[in-house]
Amino acid sequence: MSQGYTTGGPEPASAYGNGTYHDPVSEYGVPQQRTMDTEPEPPAPAPAPETKKAPGRDRYLDLLRSIALVRVVVYHIFGWAWLTVLFPSMGVMFALAGSLMARSLSRPALGVIRGRVRRLLPPMWAFGVVVLTLLFVGGWNPTRNTDDGPLWALLKLFNYLVPIGAPPYPWSIGSKSGWLEQTWAVQAAGPLWYLRAYLWFVIASPLLLWALRRFPWPTLLAPLALTAVVGTGLVKIPGETGNAVTDFAVYGGCWILGFAHHEGLLKEIPRYIAVSCAALVMAFGLWWASGHLGPDGWDLNDIPLAQATWSFGFVVILLQYSPSWQELPGRLAKWDKLVTLSNNRAVTIYLWHNMLIMATVPLIDLAYSLPFMEDPSASSALDTTYSLWMFCLVWPLIGLAILTFGWVEDLAAKRRPRLWPNGVRRGGGGGSRRRS
């Protein structure tokens, strides 16, 4: 993943003054008289030149990404709609990616885009190889049960390699007695929409950053306006093209907020004004959601305009209070290794988590064959706590996926492959750490 974040620190005090020089001898501008018996003080030694601190990772942003990943996993296990209101993970993740993209665009744009695409594709190829192998072994034929012609149906498989569109998959495959439930392919392909949106944001970033620097407020608010058009049914774009445009609009504001954070635009706005306006935008989002509840109630994923406005305001507040930590402070420091690991393997965790959630089902079902499970109360207790067991089992499986596939992220970033990059330097160093 990314090499790190840097954000502008607080400006020196002189930036807030009027630039007037004050005589250091007299605080009030009145020169002091020097008497005959007063020896002049020797000049103070020149201060040692400051060593410029090398830019490192912004641990506050790293922490936000880790929280977002955990929230995504929890949501996909328990399905709690209120989690989309409590912490809009996808908006936060797009904002963080946008901030990093803006930082990278200090270099030539074509090379930056090529580097971002290179980091994204190899982990997806590893994922696609496993998923397609399981599908073909399970007897899936992409040219059947589809409205597309055979050639076009085969060409759509390209989306498992480069996510420019929606990859094909069967809605049901296998049998009820199989190791994976019949909808596993739908669940496995679910996260790929994020990679598609991310790819299009990366490609559009040079133009978006140019627009933000010249027309900041229209550029920042344009995605919300676009969402009001395509996300409310006012203008309907059919098929996956419509889904892609809607995703781009819903989360485009968060991506550009990441730009604004890096450019220092958000810091130019007084905090009380930014937070007050963000709260109004969020309130509008909740008001809109209240009148357009979907099949899962307050799940903002089903209400594009509410998702866009709530995520936008939420991200504004998070970035306004961004403390730019170089190290996790206080009690948060004990999570340092996990935060580092999750950021170094964010693509792997996101790609594989849904499929691994499905993999917990046959493992838990093995418990029903234990002798004591013949007791109806024991079986009922397992039924009641089934999702909790899924939550407990998925993390070891995610750890196994990190060990098995995570090193591909290092190859994609042209780094030495590492099995468990949690920031601890191996082979000596007395437990010292390095950020990566």
Side-chain angles (χ1 to χ4, degrees):
M1 290 297 291
S2 62
Q3 290 301 310
Y5 307 95
T6 57
T7 55
E11 292 186 340
S14 60
Y16 299 99
N18 57 15
T20 304
Y21 172 77
H22 293 283
D23 186 350
V25 179
S26 173
E27 182 181 356
Y28 301 102
V30 181
Q32 294 179 345
Q33 293 183 348
R34 190 170 61 184
T35 60
M36 295 299 293
D37 56 349
T38 303
E39 292 294 330
E41 294 184 3
E50 277 191 20
T51 303
K52 191 172 182 180
K53 200 171 185 178
R57 294 191 70 101
D58 187 328
R59 300 300 279 168
Y60 174 72
L61 301 186
D62 283 352
L63 179 63
L64 290 181
R65 178 182 278 109
S66 298
I67 294 172
L69 287 170
V70 172
R71 206 285 279 157
V72 167
V73 174
V74 173
Y75 169 79
H76 285 153
I77 291 175
F78 295 97
W80 294 327
W82 53 267
L83 284 174
T84 63
V85 178
L86 178 66
F87 194 88
S89 284
M90 304 317 300
V92 172
M93 290 175 68
F94 278 119
L96 302 183
S99 179
L100 180 59
M101 187 68 187
R103 176 192 177 189
S104 298
L105 283 173
S106 59
R107 306 192 302 272
L110 185 60
V112 173
I113 293 174
R114 185 169 57 245
R116 293 289 170 215
V117 173
R118 186 192 69 238
R119 291 185 179 204
L120 177 69
L121 295 187
M124 186 171 178
W125 294 342
F127 177 81
V129 165
V130 172
V131 170
L132 288 175
T133 299
L134 291 175
L135 289 175
F136 290 141
V137 169
W140 178 55
N141 186 336
T143 63
R144 295 177 184 171
N145 302 321
T146 177
D147 296 332
D148 300 315
L151 179 59
W152 184 246
L154 290 175
L155 287 176
K156 279 189 172 182
L157 294 176
F158 181 73
N159 287 298
Y160 280 101
L161 302 178
V162 181
I164 57 176
Y169 49 82
W171 286 92
S172 178
I173 188 171
S175 63
K176 291 183 178 180
S177 59
W179 270 88
L180 291 174
E181 66 174 56
Q182 291 176 292
T183 62
W184 71 264
V186 179
Q187 304 295 332
L192 297 184
W193 75 267
Y194 171 79
L195 274 70
R196 176 183 65 189
Y198 177 88
L199 178 63
W200 286 114
F201 279 132
V202 165
I203 293 172
S205 283
L207 177 60
L208 293 175
L209 186 58
W210 174 88
L212 179 72
R213 288 170 174 171
R214 284 155 181 78
F215 316 103
W217 296 112
T219 303
L220 199 57
L221 299 177
L224 296 182
L226 180 60
T227 305
V229 174
V230 301
T232 61
L234 188 62
V235 173
K236 294 184 179 180
I237 304 175
E240 281 301 323
T241 301
N243 293 335
V245 172
T246 300
D247 291 338
F248 193 91
V250 168
Y251 297 105
C254 294
W255 185 274
I256 297 173
L257 276 174
F259 286 1
H261 171 68
H262 178 269
E263 295 287 295
L265 177 62
L266 293 181
K267 295 297 183 183
E268 295 177 1
I269 308 171
R271 181 174 290 177
Y272 73 94
I273 294 179
V275 173
S276 299
C277 292
L280 290 175
V281 172
M282 295 168 72
F284 170 81
L286 292 183
W287 171 80
W288 181 266
S290 67
H292 300 81
L293 298 180
D296 296 318
W298 284 87
D299 193 326
L300 299 187
N301 292 317
D302 300 328
I303 316 170
L305 185 57
Q307 178 73 284
T309 50
W310 180 263
S311 298
F312 186 93
F314 197 94
V315 166
V316 167
I317 294 174
L318 285 180
L319 296 183
Q320 269 287 338
Y321 284 91
S322 176
S324 300
W325 294 326
Q326 291 298 308
E327 299 287 342
L328 293 177
R331 295 182 180 180
L332 292 175
K334 66 182 180 181
W335 301 99
D336 182 85
K337 295 178 184 178
L338 288 178
V339 169
T340 301
L341 177 66
S342 62
N343 276 267
N344 282 325
R345 294 294 180 257
V347 175
T348 299
I349 294 170
Y350 187 80
L351 269 176
W352 290 94
H353 80 275
N354 247 14
M355 195 168 179
L356 297 176
I357 290 172
M358 295 299 101
T360 65
V361 173
L363 295 177
I364 298 173
D365 286 349
L366 292 175
Y368 286 103
S369 61
L370 297 174
F372 65 85
M373 293 301 293
E374 295 178 1
D375 185 346
S377 61
S379 179
S380 177
L382 182 56
D383 292 341
T384 304
T385 59
Y386 203 97
S387 295
L388 184 59
W389 285 107
M390 292 175 72
F391 176 79
C392 294
L393 282 176
V394 75
W395 298 109
L397 294 179
I398 288 175
L400 184 61
I402 289 173
L403 291 171
T404 306
F405 302 106
W407 54 271
V408 178
E409 291 195 54
D410 290 327
L411 292 182
K414 295 185 177 181
R415 290 194 298 254
R416 178 180 57 84
R418 299 162 296 172
L419 289 179
W420 198 257
N422 63 352
V424 177
R425 183 175 296 163
R426 307 297 180 184
S432 60
R433 304 173 187 276
R434 58 188 171 100
R435 304 294 179 208
S436 54

